[in-house]
Amino acid sequence: MKEFHVQIVEPEGKVFDGSVNALSVMTTEGRIGILAGHTDLFAPLGIGELKLSFADGERRAACSGGFLSVSGGEVSIVAVSLEFSEDIDLERAKKARERAERAIAEKKDRAAVDAAKIKLARALTRISVAEKRK
């Protein structure tokens, strides 16, 4: 499979810069896959798993939004936050899920519930990605 270049940055700096065989990521419109030669594209990212595929395996990460750009055969991702599976603290993610679920159950006000739903989605993504590393 032909490779292409991917660069991923978040506010703290560059988190990945290299060649991959395939990329799968969640946009706000749904999951998309990118291979070498993909048409130019700009898309907002949603909360979900990002997967980089290589000839010898894959690397998964929890992505919490941002933007993706495909231009001239290269992919650039600016992520709000991105954690590779090996960096996720599974117990911390489970505690975040519990806090978000409690906040939703309390139903204080719409804004609080909406914020808790976003936190829940992030926690569930982190848990799912971390559990796949086993």
Side-chain angles (χ1 to χ4, degrees):
M1 192 178 284
K2 192 172 177 185
E3 293 183 334
F4 59 98
H5 184 252
V6 174
Q7 183 178 64
I8 304 172
V9 298
E10 62 176 1
E12 291 78 30
K14 193 181 305 181
V15 294
F16 180 84
D17 190 357
S19 294
V20 303
N21 294 103
L23 165 72
S24 173
V25 67
M26 182 62 73
T27 71
T28 57
E29 299 298 316
R31 178 159 299 282
I32 62 168
I34 296 174
L35 299 172
H38 196 285
T39 189
D40 289 355
L41 169 74
F42 184 80
L45 298 177
I47 297 171
E49 181 183 71
L50 176 143
K51 183 170 75 170
L52 301 170
S53 298
F54 308 93
D56 60 351
E58 59 189 30
R59 197 163 179 209
R60 296 172 186 269
C63 181
S64 296
F67 295 94
L68 169 131
S69 170
V70 180
S71 180
E74 295 198 1
V75 176
S76 297
I77 294 175
V78 178
V80 172
S81 70
L82 186 124
E83 276 183 285
F84 282 103
S85 62
E86 62 270 18
D87 299 324
I88 295 172
D89 180 336
L90 184 56
E91 289 309 309
R92 185 171 160 244
K94 288 178 178 179
K95 288 177 183 174
R97 176 190 63 202
E98 291 167 6
R99 286 190 304 272
E101 288 171 341
R102 278 194 308 272
I104 292 168
E106 289 173 4
K107 300 178 186 176
K108 288 187 178 178
D109 61 61
R110 184 175 175 90
V113 170
D114 289 347
K117 286 179 179 178
I118 292 169
K119 290 177 183 179
L120 179 60
R122 289 181 65 196
L124 292 172
T125 297
R126 292 176 70 232
I127 292 166
S128 173
V129 169
E131 288 178 340
K132 289 178 184 173
R133 70 180 171 218
K134 296 178 180 179

